[in-house]
Amino acid sequence: QVQLVESGGGLVQTGGSLRLACIASGRSFSSFAMGWFRQAPGKEREFVAAISRFGGSTYYADAVKGRFTISRDNAKNTLYLQMNSLKPEDTAVYYCAASPRVVATVSPAYDYWGQGTQVTVSS
């Protein structure tokens, strides 16, 4: 089992940047593929980015490709999401998630979830 706690959300203007972090505790962090998902008000949770256990493979939703970067530091048990050129449509609660299986872009593949951190992009 693993516990996940996100941080780094906040209010930012269009074009700004934020860096989200997700600290894991419990079972070995490198045992898990990791992902970021987001959910905007009135919308379903959607995939944002994912990374394999040792960072060799990364995947992005088309909506964030070229603007967001997912990374991880297994020595620090931490997952990151660097978000640049933010847009109002990026406004959502962002969740990190852990999968004990292969890296995936769909939420059912992830067994463990954080509580989320709010990102608000003003126009």
Side-chain angles (χ1 to χ4, degrees):
Q1 196 166 2
V2 65
Q3 292 77 43
L4 304 171
V5 178
E6 302 97 335
S7 63
L11 174 64
V12 65
Q13 291 186 333
T14 296
S17 297
L18 282 174
R19 188 193 197 199
L20 305 183
C22 171
I23 297 178
S25 60
R27 196 171 135 191
S28 174
F29 183 58
S30 61
S31 299
F32 298 93
M34 299 296 296
W36 286 100
F37 291 77
R38 67 187 182 186
Q39 187 166 18
K43 295 187 176 181
E44 292 187 353
R45 188 173 297 185
E46 65 175 2
F47 168 74
V48 175
I51 189 167
S52 58
R53 292 190 300 142
F54 295 97
S57 297
T58 56
Y59 304 87
Y60 296 93
D62 287 343
V64 307
K65 204 171 293 183
R67 300 188 297 122
F68 291 10
T69 302
I70 189 171
S71 62
R72 65 189 295 163
D73 185 337
N74 286 351
K76 296 182 178 179
N77 294 340
T78 304
L79 175 73
Y80 301 99
L81 185 68
Q82 177 66 44
M83 304 187 295
N84 298 328
S85 302
L86 283 160
K87 305 175 181 180
E89 51 264 43
D90 294 319
T91 296
V93 177
Y94 283 71
Y95 300 89
C96 70
S99 170
R101 294 169 288 277
V102 296
V103 62
T105 61
V106 292
S107 56
Y110 292 83
D111 292 355
Y112 306 102
W113 294 81
Q115 82 290 348
T117 185
Q118 176 71 48
V119 171
T120 302
V121 184
S122 63
S123 57

